[in-house]
Amino acid sequence: MKVLSLFCICVVIVLVTRDSNAFTRNDFPEDFLFGAATSAYQWEGAVDEDGRTPSVWDTFSHSDNKGNGDIACDGYHKYKEDVKLMAEMGLEAFRFSISWSRLIPNGRGQINPKGLLFYKNLIKELRNHGVEPHVTLYHYDLPQVLEDEYGGWIDRKIIEDFTAFADVCFREFGDDVKLWTTINEANIFAIGAYSEGFLPPGHCSTNEFVNCSTGNSSTEPYLAGHNILLAHASASKLYRLKYKSKQRGSVGLSIYAYGLVPYTESKEDEIATQRAKDFFYGWLLKPVVFGDYPDEMKRILGTRLPVFSEEETELVKGSSDFLGIIHYTTVYIANIAPAPSVLPSKQEFFTDMGVDTIFIGNSSFFKWDAIPWGFEGVLEYLKQSYNNPPIYILENGLPLEHDSTLQDTPRVEYIQSYIGAMLNAIKNGSDTRGYFFWSVIDLYELLAGYKLSYGLYYVNFSDPGLKRSPKLSASWYTGFLNGTIDVAPQATTQQPSLFPGSSSL
């Protein structure tokens, strides 16, 4: 730890220029939460212990060669050690998810007492160390038994089962949990799981990169998205009617939010960018804020987009106390001229959207550059377009090769520039209330297995004890949280002028 502190001092000298505009933790609102995050399947391991049954993520991860979460970080057994690390780092909050199949192994009905005890103990440990628990109910891990029974999220039966699962969680943990996210990055979940096939359960029609055994990319993502909204709204209504007056917590929905910027100054790219925002953001945010899907989606999709009944509109509208935003990078959007006719077999989310996404700099689907001005733009757009909702940044981070180096200087630069961009947005009126770095320690990553990692703490996956070691980023975050580091504004918090008169977010 002393060695890392010296490393941290060196980095701070290089990266930080103290001036009158430098910011600290104290520049944020007093009740603002700074934390870090994990999810159950990526952290817990112990997949067949103490009554847990398989989820669709188990099945999916065992179908390729990127590894799996059978052991992962063994958080199930090492949670006390990890909570201690969080407390030493100065984390104010910890976001984690509850494994549905650990808590209710048959998907519905009888509660698993050992699973219940684990989460009660975890929450108690967090509370005892002064760390606020933020719980995500669903993070890609539907009990496999429900998938086998009726197809999971593409069937309306999921609404009742998810609400019953949420009821158990609210009842058992709600006295100690005040922040609940229903479904993790709901838009990317629906796209990845039911249009592109790269998320569990892996449905798609045709995809040259993924071998899907089932699915209909032209309809299933929109069916899943509809049921996600109704399940979220049902659970939110249950909480408000049954628990909120006593527990006084908040329930929100999470989406993935790329920064979306026109590739050129052309009118076509500007229109395409707004269409991309309707598809990526508005698809799920318009219903929860205003009660219906974006008009552009309804025009393009026609009968493939489900319709809300009047009762469902009332249920969904206003169902989120906050919006959970997951953001990593920014992409350029270029218009794609519609083909004369698109075969039904080729209809899927991205062809429906009719745009090309172009990663900036050296960015790619698996790696990206720091583009904090894009993050600031997302927060500004949400403020202007969705009545300035309360926002928690539930994930933000930088993947690097998972190796033995603990000097993750690019991650330090990334964190400080994005926190600075977030502070700019808050000063400009954004009602952003918390920031959770992904991830607190190295995890099993769905798209990259154990090749890339995001952790503030390094996990030696070759060590039977899965030893945790602090990286430079952990030391930096600690210094920022305890007030010993002032951070100078980054020059990259402003969008570069790539095209004369080009629009920003």
Side-chain angles (χ1 to χ4, degrees), residues 256-399:
Y256 189 103
Y258 278 118
L260 302 171
V261 183
Y263 185 53
T264 72
E265 62 182 348
S266 71
K267 189 68 175 176
E268 290 79 9
D269 284 357
E270 288 187 9
I271 293 172
T273 300
Q274 183 55 53
R275 188 167 64 248
K277 289 176 181 178
D278 284 342
F279 270 73
F280 266 115
Y281 309 160
W283 176 22
L284 297 176
L285 294 191
K286 284 268 187 175
V288 300
V289 177
F290 301 111
D292 200 4
Y293 293 117
D295 289 340
E296 187 72 348
M297 288 192 75
K298 292 193 282 187
R299 182 187 69 80
I300 291 170
L301 299 174
T303 58
R304 289 189 290 132
L305 186 65
V307 176
F308 293 109
S309 67
E310 289 186 16
E311 182 182 355
E312 288 170 344
T313 293
E314 290 304 311
L315 176 69
V316 172
K317 184 178 180 181
S319 59
S320 271
D321 297 320
F322 64 86
L323 298 181
I325 297 302
I326 291 172
H327 173 89
Y328 288 95
T329 194
T330 292
V331 296
Y332 288 128
I333 297 295
N335 184 62
I336 295 178
S341 63
V342 177
L343 295 174
S345 62
K346 297 296 184 182
Q347 290 175 326
E348 46 88 22
F349 183 86
F350 289 101
T351 57
D352 290 337
M353 190 165 54
V355 306
D356 191 13
T357 56
I358 303 162
F359 285 91
I360 299 174
N362 296 317
S363 301
S364 71
F365 194 69
F366 292 99
K367 293 184 179 180
W368 44 79
D369 294 340
I371 311 170
W373 52 262
F375 180 38
E376 185 177 343
V378 169
L379 297 177
E380 180 65 22
Y381 178 78
L382 295 175
K383 180 190 77 174
Q384 293 180 3
S385 302
Y386 293 97
N387 297 336
N388 197 17
I391 286 174
Y392 288 89
I393 308 304
L394 296 183
E395 291 181 27
N396 175 244
L398 182 70

Side-chain angles (χ1 to χ4, degrees), residues 82-98:
D82 287 346
V83 171
K84 184 180 179 183
L85 295 179
M86 296 175 212
E88 290 175 351
M89 209 186 319
L91 292 191
E92 298 157 4
F94 175 53
R95 177 185 175 232
F96 63 97
S97 72
I98 290 176

Side-chain angles (χ1 to χ4, degrees), residues 393-408:
I393 308 304
L394 296 183
E395 291 181 27
N396 175 244
L398 182 70
L400 297 171
E401 296 288 336
H402 182 267
D403 53 30
S404 59
T405 180
L406 303 180
Q407 293 181 262
D408 56 343

Side-chain angles (χ1 to χ4, degrees), residues 31-191:
D31 58 353
F32 191 95
L33 287 176
F34 276 101
T38 62
S39 83
Y41 187 73
Q42 295 171 271
W43 175 61
E44 289 177 9
V47 295
D48 57 359
E49 290 186 41
D50 293 341
R52 181 190 181 276
T53 59
S55 74
V56 295
W57 203 341
D58 292 279
T59 305
F60 186 82
S61 67
H62 281 269
S63 67
D64 61 32
N65 59 3
K66 293 196 294 288
N68 56 67
D70 288 2
I71 299 173
C73 313
D74 198 24
Y76 186 75
H77 298 108
K78 297 173 76 68
Y79 73 92
K80 289 186 178 181
E81 176 184 339
D82 287 346
V83 171
K84 184 180 179 183
L85 295 179
M86 296 175 212
E88 290 175 351
M89 209 186 319
L91 292 191
E92 298 157 4
F94 175 53
R95 177 185 175 232
F96 63 97
S97 72
I98 290 176
S99 167
W100 189 340
S101 62
R102 190 182 297 284
L103 187 63
I104 308 175
N106 293 323
R108 67 174 74 90
Q110 188 172 357
I111 298 171
N112 174 20
K114 291 185 177 180
L116 179 66
L117 182 62
F118 168 70
Y119 291 111
K120 282 186 175 290
N121 286 342
L122 171 59
I123 292 167
K124 180 181 179 182
E125 195 74 11
L126 290 166
R127 285 288 189 190
N128 287 345
H129 283 81
V131 181
E132 181 82 12
H134 185 137
V135 171
T136 298
L137 293 172
Y138 186 82
H139 198 120
Y140 304 157
D141 51 356
L142 183 74
Q144 185 65 47
V145 64
L146 298 184
E147 179 74 17
D148 294 341
E149 181 184 330
Y150 55 77
W153 288 96
I154 56 175
D155 193 290
R156 290 178 68 94
K157 292 178 183 175
I158 191 66
I159 300 167
E160 181 180 353
D161 284 338
F162 179 77
T163 305
F165 165 57
D167 193 11
V168 171
C169 294
F170 296 151
R171 183 182 73 236
E172 297 294 341
F173 313 126
D175 288 344
D176 295 305
V177 175
K178 304 307 175 189
L179 292 167
W180 298 92
T181 297
T182 51
I183 293 128
N184 181 67
E185 53 187 14
N187 53 349
I188 287 294
F189 167 50
I191 298 164

